[in-house]
Amino acid sequence: PSTATSSALGGAFAHLGGSNGDTSFTIVAFTGNYAYSDAAASGGAIYADQPVRITLGDAAATATAGFTAFSGNYATTDSNVATAVAQGGVVYVGAGTDLTVNKYSSFSNNYAEASASGTLASARGGALYLTDGTKAALGQDISFTGNYTSVNGNGPSQGGAIYVAANALAIDTATF
């Protein structure tokens, strides 16, 4: 888990930029990871910032083997900070990041939740948060169930499963 007083990044894994690279997670279960802070929390399980390629799951996965599962991960804030931000209950990807989620991956009961006193609090992307300048492709038969965003106070709560800032996203047969 990642816990901090100002910002928390990536509860299980964080790539903070500065070098090109490939990171793959194959046949992995991410359960109960979190990024928690009083002001800003991003990527409950995985935080990746430029430039990197992140691959989740095995391209040769079947419905019973080779997939990656994410359950009960979250990004959350809890404070009186007026601008508290929670982004990407499971994955936050920053500019310059390429994200591939291979077939049969599952995202269940993940969330982004912001508690704040002001009107500028926000929660975006209960499972995935894709910022400007990212490339993302989701393979076949990916499932998103029970993911959500929540703001305690006034502010936007957007993208219960996926929040896309301003990029193109390719999805090939998914269940929401």
Side-chain angles (χ1 to χ4, degrees), residues 10 13 20 41 56 58-59 62 67 74 79-80 82 90 92 94-96 137 144 146 152-153 160 166-167 170:
F13 172 83
N20 291 320
L56 306 176
D58 186 346
T62 67
F67 58 89
Y74 58 93
S79 73
N80 289 322
V90 175
Y92 171 99
F144 294 88
N152 182 6
N167 0 346

Side-chain angles (χ1 to χ4, degrees), residues 1-2 8-16 23-26 28-35 41-49 52-57 68-70 73-75 87-94 97-101 105 107 110 125-130:
S2 176
L9 308 173
F13 172 83
H15 180 282
L16 302 177
T23 301
S24 296
F25 298 98
T26 306
V28 178
F30 289 84
T31 304
N33 298 287
Y34 62 88
S42 300
I46 297 170
Y47 177 94
D49 207 357
V52 66
R53 282 184 296 276
I54 301 288
T55 303
L56 306 176
T68 301
F70 301 90
N73 300 286
Y74 58 93
Q87 302 170 317
V90 175
V91 177
Y92 171 99
V93 289
T97 302
D98 293 345
L99 174 68
T100 300
V101 181
S105 292
F107 298 83
N110 304 290
L128 304 177
Y129 179 94
L130 311 173

Side-chain angles (χ1 to χ4, degrees), residues 2-10 35-42 47 76-77 85:
S2 176
T3 303
T5 55
S6 59
S7 68
L9 308 173
Y36 169 83
S37 168
D38 62 349
S42 300
Y47 177 94
T76 187
T77 65
V85 176

